[in-house]
Amino acid sequence: MRSLLFLLRKEFKQIFRNKSILAMIIGMPIIQLLIMPLAADFEIKNIKISIVDHDRSVYSKNLIDKVIASGYFQLNDYSTSFEQSFQQFEANNSDLVLEIPQHFERDLVKLQEGSLLLAVNAINGTNASVGSAYLSNIIGQYNQELRKQGLSASIAMPATIEVATLNWFNPYLNYPFFMVPGILVSLVTMVGIYMCALNIVKEKEVGTIEQINVTPIKKHHFILGKLIPFWVIGVFVFSLGLLGVARVAYGIIPVGSMPLLYSYLAIFLIAILGIGLLISTYSQTQQQAMSLAFFVIMVFILLSGLFTPIDSMPEWAKVIANLNPLTYFIEVMRMIVLKGSGFAQIKSHFLAMIAFAIFFNGWAIINYKKTS
Amino acid sequence: MEKEIVISAHKLTKKFGDFIATNEITFKVYAGEIFGFLGANGAGKTTAMKMLCGLSIPSAGEATIAGFDVYRETEKIKQNIGYMSQKFSLYEDLTVVENIRFFGGIYGLSNKELKSKSEALIKTLGLEKEVDKLVGSLPLGWKQKLAFSVAILHEPKIVFLDEPTGGVDPVTRRQFWDLIYDASDRGITIFVTTHYMDEAEYCDRVSMMVDGYMKALDSPENLKKTHGAATMDEVFFDLARGAQRQGD
């Protein structure tokens, strides 16, 4: 036990002496949490639209006003020639072209039907699909309004079903509410895996690990001496993010139990540090460890349900997502922080995370050898 | 009286695939001896030393270190040896005194021992002014003297030194050897590899590795006599001339 104390004292001294690590554990969570949620906002705004108006009537003007007033679209250009607008399209200056044909108003009034052309620049798939959906919606509303105005009194009003939606747990569909807890998890993961793996591999590179291996230090003491400091740092980074940035910048105050959340974090960190340890046992240089850790973290983050729902992934991706510790912690974060779930609801998540912690650490310990 | 044997190797062999790094070496080292372990680069010295330190499990043969078996009792061996590698092996981002305390601590010295020993060590090395400096900021010669002193802080039976004086000036090397003699006088067995033939002359007995084989083992005087050489340099050339392996 005493040698563990000496190891811990040494690790903490080295960490606090290393300016770049300090910057990483304090600066990184703050900056990332301030910037990432804004960039990872899926609400599409400022879709650039080109409008070709061949009709130039009151009706077409009204329609254009409605589109612009919706707040989702930015008028890029307004012209009477499709070719001209299409050039804007080709130059990637606009995402959508809405063409209003000649006699739009006349046809609407007389024939009670109108047609519009909507051309979508599908290079940016999200902008394209969301933009055209928004636009169709707006046109549909406009259509309804025209009918209500009694434009065509002769036509029987179709019965309208109004759907009232109630957003539970995040009533204003506040995007950061949803993203920040998840981003915090990925942040803690990165800090944990990178720091743990690089630290151990650095000792290999410098040669001090050989010196350690020739001492009677017990293998599990050495490993604990590495894991405990990074576990503490992980808790610190998490708290800084949750109690600092998330609360001050986004007003996120966890609804659920904090001891429950921190218990889960404790196990999660053990699992994550086990992955860092495992990476270090397979790497001889910091460069190798870095590349390996980068690969693992990328897969973990992309297949964790942070940015895209797991339900819409293909079957093989779902399998990976279910074998990914991040998936579970992100879910738990959202459940406890936003919904206030209790232990009963996340019991299976606890079991899964304990299994991860045992699996990764067990593998790493078997693979870490004092004697080759 | 029979001298106490602290290292005994019998046909000790290490293979990496088809490559035989160390081929059936057999020798004994006696307590308190300064044992020189010579050989060209790539001759298998470091591999042999790692097996003796319990860092590497032999492929074949037998060996005991301080009475402990190199296959089954590596952790007990580690309690009884000191080791200093050719790669400098203290923590550069810890101070002189922190390094001494750390390595002393993990060998199980008590706080009282740590305090008295580190004070004595710092005085011997004349590092009073550098106590709180980071080791990384010290000149190489000082680092190596410090590393050696730390390696024998826990009074091991044997200390293994892998090219301890590489890259330092002759004066510092001389001082380093004074430290080695001191340790030897206290009864610590010294097992040292080196490329400096003047250092080989300082050893009680010297062995020569060539291509994984141990080609010679005797006192420097006897080796010079049998090879009809005036210096150890000539002995080394005579033995190593036939080497097939190139340096690493």
Side-chain angles (χ1 to χ4, degrees), chain B residues 141-241:
Chain B
W142 290 19
K143 285 184 195 170
Q144 285 173 324
K145 281 189 278 181
L146 182 62
F148 174 70
S149 307
V150 168
I152 58 167
L153 197 65
H154 60 292
E155 297 287 334
K157 284 214 174 82
I158 309 152
V159 63
F160 290 90
L161 307 173
D162 192 2
E163 290 175 34
T165 55
V168 301
D169 63 73
V171 178
T172 315
R173 259 171 54 203
R174 192 61 231 216
Q175 292 169 344
F176 194 93
W177 273 87
D178 287 341
L179 290 175
I180 292 182
Y181 279 128
D182 280 350
S184 170
D185 287 346
R186 294 208 303 274
I188 298 177
T189 307
I190 315 284
F191 187 99
V192 57
T193 74
T194 180
H195 284 309
Y196 298 105
M197 289 306 129
D198 57 330
E199 291 186 350
E201 307 261 8
Y202 301 150
C203 299
D204 295 325
R205 280 195 306 149
V206 164
S207 69
M208 256 303 280
M209 293 278 291
V210 179
D211 288 348
Y213 293 95
M214 189 173 271
K215 279 282 160 89
L217 172 60
D218 213 333
S219 67
E221 291 71 38
N222 288 345
L223 279 176
K224 281 187 277 190
K225 233 179 270 169
T226 43
H227 288 267
T231 61
M232 280 302 289
D233 252 353
E234 289 172 30
V235 176
F236 186 93
F237 279 119
D238 195 32
L239 284 165
R241 205 163 26 217

Side-chain angles (χ1 to χ4, degrees), chain A residues 2 6-7 10 13-14 17 203-208 210-217 370-372, chain B residues 50 54-57 75 78-79 83 85 87 89-91 93-94 98 102 105-107 109 111 114:
Chain A
R2 206 161 151 265
F6 280 101
L7 281 166
K10 158 194 162 279
K13 272 188 184 137
Q14 288 181 308
R17 229 161 248 173
E203 291 222 22
K204 279 193 192 175
E205 266 186 11
V206 183
T208 44
E210 199 172 85
Q211 194 68 38
I212 293 286
N213 285 345
V214 85
T215 68
I217 285 185
K370 273 184 84 177
T371 303
S372 57
Chain B
K50 284 192 170 167
L55 282 176
S56 170
I57 297 291
E75 294 306 300
K78 287 169 186 174
Q79 186 69 50
Y83 174 75
S85 76
K87 256 182 164 183
S89 45
L90 296 178
Y91 287 97
D93 50 357
L94 293 180
E98 284 165 356
F102 172 67
I106 57 178
Y107 276 107
L109 299 189
N111 286 339
L114 276 180

Side-chain angles (χ1 to χ4, degrees), chain A residues 269-316:
Chain A
L269 278 172
I270 296 172
I272 284 301
L273 293 176
I275 297 170
L277 185 68
L278 184 60
I279 289 173
S280 79
T281 62
Y282 282 105
S283 317
Q284 295 308 316
T285 63
Q286 293 193 66
Q287 212 174 7
Q288 287 172 0
M290 199 72 180
S291 322
L292 202 54
F294 182 74
F295 170 74
V296 170
I297 290 172
M298 279 295 275
V299 173
F300 275 179
I301 291 180
L302 290 177
L303 290 173
S304 66
L306 174 60
F307 296 114
T308 45
I310 292 168
D311 294 334
S312 56
M313 290 178 188
E315 287 306 318
W316 60 266

